[in-house]
Each structure stands twice: as C-alpha cells, then as structure tokens.
Amino acid sequence: VIMKSGWVALVMSVTALNFDLLSEAEQDATIYAYAAFLNSLTFPIQILIRSKKADITSYFHALQEAERSQPNPDLKKQIQKYEEFIRSIVQQKTILDKKFYLVINFSPLELGVGNVKKQNLQSNKNKLQLIADAKVTLAPKRDHLIKQTARLGLISKQLTTQELIELFYDIYNPAPTGTQRM
C-alpha cells in the first residue's frame, strides 16, 4: 500500500490461536515464544485486530442439511443436539468473527537521507521505483515475521492486491447491520 506521505505498508494476515484450549505447559511455551518474537523485532510493527459480529445462519442451514441427509438416526440425533447447543450459545453471547493482521512500514528515509528527494508520486516511474525499493527492504522483515509467527504455531502471509482491496472496502463500507457472513 502506497501512502500519500511516500511510505509503503505491507499487510500480512495471521491465523489465530485459542490460548484457553492449551494446557498450562503449552500456554507457558506460547508466552515465551511470544516474548522471543517481540524481542527479535528490530523494526516497528502494527498489530490490527478486526472484530465483527458474525451472522451464522448459513452454518445452521448447513447443519440442517447434514441432519436431513444423515441416514443414521443416532448421528441425526447428535446433529440435533449440537444445533441446539450452538443456538443456546448464540442466544447467550454475541458471536464475533476476528481477523488478525500485522503491518510493517517502509519509509524512504530507510534508504538514507541522501537518497530521499521530494517524491512526485503522480509519476508511475516514481511509484514503481518506490515499490521496488520498498520490496527490497520489506521482504526480509516479512520473512522474519513469517518465521517468528510460525514458532508460535501461527500461519502468516502477505495479502495480495485483491485481498487488500477487499479489506479496505470492508473497512470503509461496513455491512449495514455490522455483521459478517460466515
């Protein structure tokens, strides 16, 4: 993402980890790995967490379809019980869809003060040069984040142009009800 200031941002999506489901030893290991991750950083990062109320009606439709197509009466009964359980949870609590992102920035100042000129970002040639310079600087940082998050058991990847467009569209044009279909 090219900013108006001439900075470039690289956005990465990161999977989540349910900390509460880990054993005490796994929780301790995760905490130490996260501390090592933070201590390994030699550059600033931004952590973005997006929470949206989730609409899980399609999930209920899928459960009902699975129940209808299930020939085994015992499994049919289990699906019904599971659906009732999920409905009771939804009535008690709001279901949220959470997305996690890491953002790293590139400033033209990283190339040195002598290399910084008053940039005219209107020119495609200048944009292409800026992106090329940013890629050289951001690629090792991205790779470091991928490696360190993998130590935490997380999968991270750089967003594609299409994924960035969808993310920004969703940020600036939220659903009228504030819900996200699952």
Side-chain angles (χ1 to χ4, degrees):
V1 178
I2 300 175
M3 310 291 186
K4 285 184 179 180
S5 64
W7 287 42
V8 177
L10 183 143
V11 183
M12 300 173 63
S13 65
V14 183
T15 59
L17 176 70
N18 194 332
F19 191 75
D20 291 334
L21 293 180
L22 301 176
S23 69
E24 188 174 338
E26 290 171 323
Q27 287 180 352
D28 289 342
T30 301
I31 291 169
Y32 292 128
Y34 186 67
F37 164 69
L38 293 177
N39 288 328
S40 75
L41 295 175
T42 58
F43 51 90
I45 64 169
Q46 298 172 5
I47 300 172
L48 171 65
I49 304 171
R50 296 203 63 225
S51 296
K52 295 172 72 175
K53 187 177 178 183
D55 177 11
I56 60 171
T57 54
S58 61
Y59 184 63
F60 284 120
H61 292 304
L63 284 175
Q64 290 167 353
E65 182 59 36
E67 180 186 340
R68 267 185 249 127
S69 64
Q70 181 55 249
N72 186 331
D74 292 334
L75 289 178
K76 223 177 217 192
K77 196 172 265 188
Q78 288 298 328
I79 293 172
Q80 287 172 344
K81 286 182 182 180
Y82 176 69
E83 186 180 346
E84 289 170 14
F85 169 73
I86 295 297
R87 285 192 192 280
S88 70
I89 296 230
V90 170
Q91 288 173 352
Q92 296 170 9
K93 298 183 184 219
T94 302
I95 306 299
L96 296 176
D97 178 36
K98 291 186 181 250
K99 303 278 187 200
F100 300 87
Y101 302 93
L102 293 177
V103 182
I104 49 178
N105 292 304
F106 164 78
S107 166
L109 290 172
E110 292 181 49
L111 298 174
V113 177
N115 294 327
V116 177
K117 300 173 188 152
K118 185 72 175 166
Q119 294 192 356
N120 178 8
L121 293 179
Q122 301 305 320
S123 163
N124 280 339
K125 183 178 176 185
N126 289 342
K127 284 183 184 178
L128 292 174
Q129 183 60 47
L130 178 64
I131 291 170
D133 293 340
K135 282 182 179 180
V136 168
T137 304
L138 291 174
K141 293 176 182 180
R142 177 201 59 212
D143 295 342
H144 177 75
L145 290 177
I146 290 171
K147 181 180 169 186
Q148 291 299 317
T149 54
R151 290 182 63 206
L152 287 160
L154 305 174
I155 299 169
S156 55
K157 71 173 194 75
Q158 180 177 345
L159 294 183
T160 63
T161 302
Q162 183 62 35
E163 290 169 329
L164 281 169
I165 291 168
E166 290 171 8
L167 174 64
F168 285 126
Y169 182 84
D170 192 42
I171 288 171
Y172 291 109
N173 300 290
T177 58
T179 60
Q180 172 72 32
R181 285 208 171 262
M182 299 291 285

